[in-house]
Amino acid sequence: MTITESIRIALGALLSNKLRAILTMLGIIIGVAAVITLMSVGKGVELLVQESFESIGTNLLYVFPGSLQGSTSSQQPELSMGDYQAIADPFLVPDALSVAPELSSRADVVAGRRDIRTEVAGVTPDYAPVRNKTVSLGDFITDGDVNARSRVAVLGSGASENLFEEGTYPIGQTIKINRIAFRVVGVLEEQGGAAFGTEDNVIYVPLTTAQTRLYPWYRSRSGDALLSALYVQVAGESLMDQTSQDITNVLRQRHDITFRDEDDFTIINQTDLVSIFGDITGVLTIFLGAIAAISLLVGGIGIMNIMLVSVTERTREIGIRKAVGAKRRDILLQFLVEAVTLSLVGGLVGVGLGLVGSRFVGSLAENLTTVITPDVVLLSTGVSAAVGLLFGIYPAFRAARLNPIDALRYE
């Protein structure tokens, strides 16, 4: 018996019991659809994380006061303007393209009858290109604003929506930050989630204004103005480690840290962050796929159950076929083809539902774009066929081993 004839007979047997075949395929359909949908969501989350890091700038080093391991020193960790100036010195850190200081804290902000409590950050003009900030209305903070300690503010898109009614043009409006009047000169484009939370609600003012008017108490023991963070843009990705080491050497020397003592600052490599989050989301994607694959196992058990029922129902047919010359391998092949056909057709239908499901899930989340890769589709289809083959082997062997005389006498 040829493969073509076996397929024809298998399809005829399945079509004679359409409802049972459809219900049998349902487990495979759900399993394949779940695998494709969840894997596409996992890939979409990986892409979202990567884009979030890219949106805050490229080749960045984050410098924060304090150590992740905890400082053994009795003194409070500090990051000062002197540290910023030293890191910005091209002779000390030659591969730093730009250094952006930041002094931030939460403050009460009022505009008319609306008030919010949000983060207000003092920055310099270098902050916008380093952190990849784009102005949608007005202008960003200028050198003139910093030198004059101007009371001007640039609003994140979320802060602008919270402070002003829809349709209000914010540029030129007056807001009060900790009861001090500021004039709005710009509004940033919406950026969404970033590495350490959303930044759309942040309000930016000149660094000198923040140091003298909003947060004058942020001073070191020597009277130097303190900073919350430094963002260093490196000339190239291959220079990240060397630049991090240069910054470490500069800060250890400035902070009088001996070779035995731990750093009282933290330098975070953006590339390392992307890699860490990529590993986490990759494991999450595999986990989601494994959970969904359980449905395929259930579907395979369903196929085995129905095939065993089919063997019992067609015992007399098997006896007749053996009596007219059908060999054991012909019977084995026929039932294996039926099992694989059930799982393969169910897998193809599941692929279609998985594509629809991934699009639907992607439409529910504003910033999430599900990603369907060909390898996931091929893997799901291949696994569904393998499940049919695996769970169809026992019923097929059972049918092939039937004694023709006993099969003919079966009622």
Side-chain angles (χ1 to χ4, degrees), residues 87-109:
I87 294 174
D89 188 339
F91 292 101
L92 298 178
V93 187
D95 297 316
L97 285 180
S98 185
V99 183
E102 178 185 82
L103 172 60
S104 63
S105 185
R106 298 188 69 80
D108 296 317
V109 184

Side-chain angles (χ1 to χ4, degrees), residues 98-345:
S98 185
V99 183
E102 178 185 82
L103 172 60
S104 63
S105 185
R106 298 188 69 80
D108 296 317
V109 184
V110 178
R113 295 182 179 180
R114 295 191 175 189
D115 63 278
I116 60 174
R117 183 167 180 80
T118 189
E119 183 178 352
V120 178
V123 297
T124 62
D126 290 331
Y127 187 89
V130 169
R131 296 299 308 276
N132 201 23
K133 302 291 183 181
T134 304
V135 177
S136 61
L137 293 174
D139 301 299
F140 198 70
I141 293 165
T142 64
D143 288 324
D145 296 329
V146 175
N147 294 333
R149 302 177 183 177
S150 302
R151 290 180 296 169
V152 295
V154 177
L155 308 181
S157 59
S160 177
E161 293 174 359
N162 292 331
L163 288 172
F164 299 106
E165 295 181 358
E166 185 177 357
T168 302
Y169 188 68
I171 305 302
Q173 300 285 342
T174 298
I175 63 174
K176 287 187 177 182
I177 304 175
N178 287 348
R179 300 182 181 181
I180 301 174
F182 283 77
R183 178 171 54 88
V184 178
V185 296
V187 177
L188 298 177
E189 288 185 356
E190 182 178 357
Q191 196 167 17
F196 306 104
T198 181
E199 296 187 348
D200 289 332
N201 293 326
V202 181
I203 296 175
Y204 302 93
V205 300
L207 178 61
T208 51
T209 307
Q211 291 171 335
T212 58
R213 294 179 180 271
L214 294 180
Y215 317 122
W217 56 87
Y218 278 85
R219 296 280 171 175
S220 67
R221 291 174 296 277
S222 60
D224 196 6
L226 295 180
L227 298 171
S228 302
L230 286 170
Y231 304 97
V232 183
Q233 188 174 41
V234 184
E237 185 175 343
S238 61
L239 301 172
M240 297 282 278
D241 292 337
Q242 180 59 49
T243 304
S244 178
Q245 186 59 52
D246 291 339
I247 295 173
T248 298
N249 295 337
V250 169
L251 292 181
R252 286 182 68 89
Q253 183 177 2
R254 284 188 51 82
H255 295 185
D256 295 325
I257 301 174
T258 64
F259 71 95
R260 294 181 179 178
D261 295 332
E262 297 290 336
D263 297 337
D264 64 350
F265 56 87
T266 299
I267 300 176
I268 299 178
N269 190 321
Q270 183 188 30
T271 304
D272 293 340
L273 281 178
V274 173
S275 177
I276 292 171
F277 277 94
D279 292 341
I280 293 173
T281 54
V283 172
L284 177 62
T285 301
I286 295 174
F287 177 74
L288 291 175
I291 293 297
I294 295 176
S295 299
L296 288 175
L297 179 62
V298 175
I301 295 173
I303 288 177
M304 177 184 285
N305 182 43
I306 292 301
M307 292 306 299
L308 288 172
V309 172
S310 180
V311 170
T312 302
E313 288 180 347
R314 296 158 63 187
T315 300
R316 188 173 181 83
E317 174 193 334
I318 295 170
I320 294 173
R321 292 191 60 198
K322 282 193 170 186
V324 297
K327 297 180 180 180
R328 178 174 292 186
R329 68 170 179 269
D330 297 327
I331 304 299
L332 177 67
L333 181 62
Q334 176 188 345
F335 282 90
L336 280 178
V337 168
E338 286 187 27
V340 172
T341 301
L342 276 172
S343 60
L344 193 56
V345 172

Side-chain angles (χ1 to χ4, degrees), residues 33-43 285 288-289 291-292:
V35 168
I36 291 179
T37 301
L38 293 180
M39 291 288 283
S40 67
V41 171
K43 293 287 186 181
T285 301
L288 291 175
I291 293 297

